[in-house]
């Protein structure tokens, strides 16, 4: 009599546990999307529009308008402020994010270089590796001549009379 081994025996699972794990994964996915750096420009734009609408609402309260007029005015202000600020706020926020990413990259690289140099001061093997790498780099720089564009020289190929461009812009 052959025994049947179910898949549950090799991979124990429980329906309730599976649902909890699926919901936790969905929640984690939602939180990662909501707090993603890609969403920051949208949030800054929303905060800007909320500030303009709030200031407008405070001004309308002092005038004493009715609900319908206030609602219509705030709707118009929200749409107009979105139209006016959308490109400016989103572009500037993305520019700040890019600047911060570059700054963080340079700071990480600097910390890495400092750590490597401190390690090299303590360990002669690391120092020898650094010096060997610098020597290889110097050798490569000496072996390859700079391009014609870098030197500013131009090689005349005799086709200047036929070429539609000036000779000075043709490099070989």
């Amino acid at each position: 009599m052959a025994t049947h081994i179910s898949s549950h025996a090799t991979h124990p699972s429980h329906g309730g546990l599976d649902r909890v794990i699926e919901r936790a994964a969905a929640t984690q996915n939602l939180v990662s999307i909501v707090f993603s750096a890609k969403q920051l420009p949208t949030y800054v734009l929303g905060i800007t529009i909320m500030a303009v609408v709030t200031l407008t609402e405070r001004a309308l309260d002092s005038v004493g308008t009715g609900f319908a007029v206030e609602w219509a005015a705030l709707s118009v202000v929200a749409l107009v402020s979105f139209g006016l600020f959308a490109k400016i706020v989103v572009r500037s926020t993305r520019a700040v994010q890019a600047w911060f990413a570059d700054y963080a990259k340079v700071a990480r690289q600097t910390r890495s270089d400092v750590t490597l140099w401190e390690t090299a001061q303590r360990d002669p093997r690391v120092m020898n590796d650094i010096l060997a790498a610098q020597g290889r780099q110097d050798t490569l720089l000496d072996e390859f001549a700079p391009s014609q564009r870098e030197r500013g020289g131009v090689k005349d190929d005799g086709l200047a009379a036929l070429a539609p461009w000036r000779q000075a812009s043709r490099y070989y």
Side-chain angles (χ1 to χ4, degrees):
M1 176 181 223
T3 60
H4 177 65
I5 300 175
S6 69
S7 63
H8 294 290
T10 57
H11 300 289
S13 102
H14 185 272
L17 180 62
D18 290 341
R19 285 191 301 273
V20 168
I21 290 172
E22 288 172 7
R23 289 183 181 138
T27 303
Q28 180 184 13
N29 187 29
L30 177 66
V31 168
S32 67
I33 290 171
V34 168
F35 292 108
S36 170
K38 290 181 180 180
Q39 300 298 328
L40 185 63
T42 305
Y43 295 148
V44 172
L45 177 61
I47 290 169
T48 304
I49 293 171
M50 286 173 23
V52 170
V53 168
T54 302
L55 292 173
T56 305
E57 192 269 333
R58 297 289 172 127
L60 289 175
D61 277 348
S62 66
V63 174
T65 59
F67 173 77
V69 173
E70 190 172 311
W71 181 83
L74 292 176
S75 297
V76 169
V77 166
L79 291 173
V80 169
S81 61
F82 180 80
L84 291 175
F85 295 129
K87 285 185 180 179
I88 297 167
V89 170
V90 170
R91 284 182 184 168
S92 60
T93 305
R94 286 187 182 148
V96 168
Q97 284 180 305
W99 174 85
F100 186 75
D102 291 341
Y103 176 79
K105 179 180 175 184
V106 169
R108 278 192 308 271
Q109 183 64 41
T110 302
R111 282 194 307 272
S112 174
D113 291 345
V114 166
T115 304
L116 178 63
W117 185 250
E118 289 172 355
T119 303
Q121 295 295 328
R122 292 187 308 269
D123 190 350
R125 296 173 298 177
V126 175
M127 182 62 82
N128 287 337
D129 288 345
I130 291 173
L131 293 174
Q134 286 176 343
R136 283 192 300 270
Q137 181 183 7
D138 292 342
T139 302
L140 286 174
L141 290 176
D142 292 340
E143 287 180 9
F144 297 109
S147 70
Q148 292 291 99
R149 193 176 302 270
E150 291 173 3
R151 285 191 301 194
V154 177
K155 179 180 174 185
D156 184 14
D157 60 359
L159 298 174
L162 302 174
W165 53 82
R166 295 189 343 251
Q167 179 69 28
S169 64
R170 294 179 27 227
Y171 299 94
Y172 296 100

